[in-house]
Amino acid sequence: MLSTGALRAHLLAARLAGPVATSRETSLRSYRLFAARDPRVLLGLAPERAWGEGELLRLMADRCGVSADPAHVSGPDAIDPDRTVAALDAFAERLALVAERRAPVLLGTGHPHRLLGFYAGLADALSAAGCPVLTPAQGRCVDIATRFGVRPYRLDYVRGVALVREPGGRPTGGETGAHTHSPLPVRLALQDAAERLGGLPELVIGDHGWVCGAGQLGIEAIGPADTDDPALFVGEAEGRVSVAVPLDDGVRAPFYRPLTRYVLNRACLSQ
């Protein structure tokens, strides 16, 4: 079992917390865009009130541990590992509750190259505990806006985890799917779950638009978020995201495996 101290040390060594690869410039740009309600950073969330840049910076300092100094405008951003550990504990509590009820869950990621293994481990454990792991709208197409214009993608599932692929291609080599921030895949999945499967998941686990899109529709949602993803933390502050875990979402995939082990141990779901 991974202790809290060992987890904290791993977070720092892997740069999941502490100084992270996400730059301060990138984070501040996201706060400016969010304050202007740019859909690229809202991730499907419709904030209940206006959030100014200064308010967002203070929120991110409180939830993530980034510097609250507006004069700090360059260099690497930082995440407080103690806040990450506390959020992972809360994340584990939500897993334990849904497992106890054997409730249906939906998992999805916009970071399949990095986070697929993290979610797949959770899906395996929840399925073993008796939770139906839903795979609605598999194979359905969804049009997503990208910097190259609107492009069609196909919703697919790998080990119970939803992701999107460019249509016509099968995964080859290390390909696992496309990176996306869009809430459209989770909206499609939830619509199909309601219409075809006859029920919605009690919990959505994911990142980016999967969390904010589900939370905006009133589905409980939890997941990780980087310092340049203020939407999840605003959603948490406004009560539409249950748990937002501050961590770097772009490190190498194996570095997330200890986090899977930790939360499953805390949730008493280790196999």
Side-chain angles (χ1 to χ4, degrees), residues 190-221:
L190 291 172
Q191 179 181 8
D192 188 63
E195 295 176 353
R196 186 175 58 84
L197 303 181
L200 293 167
E202 283 198 18
L203 180 68
V204 171
I205 305 166
D207 47 64
H208 291 168
W210 286 92
V211 172
C212 290
Q216 183 63 35
L217 293 175
I219 308 297
E220 183 176 10

Side-chain angles (χ1 to χ4, degrees), residues 10 40 92 142 186 196 202:
H10 171 72
R40 292 173 295 176
V142 55
V186 75
R196 186 175 58 84
E202 283 198 18

Side-chain angles (χ1 to χ4, degrees), residues 185-259:
V186 75
R187 291 175 186 168
L188 176 65
L190 291 172
Q191 179 181 8
D192 188 63
E195 295 176 353
R196 186 175 58 84
L197 303 181
L200 293 167
E202 283 198 18
L203 180 68
V204 171
I205 305 166
D207 47 64
H208 291 168
W210 286 92
V211 172
C212 290
Q216 183 63 35
L217 293 175
I219 308 297
E220 183 176 10
I222 63 175
D226 210 331
T227 59
D228 61 345
D229 290 327
L232 279 83
F233 299 100
V234 170
E236 187 180 44
E238 292 188 344
R240 274 164 293 167
V241 173
S242 288
V243 181
V245 181
L247 55 78
D248 189 319
D249 60 12
V251 305
R252 292 174 53 207
F255 291 149
Y256 297 100
R257 291 173 189 160
L259 278 62

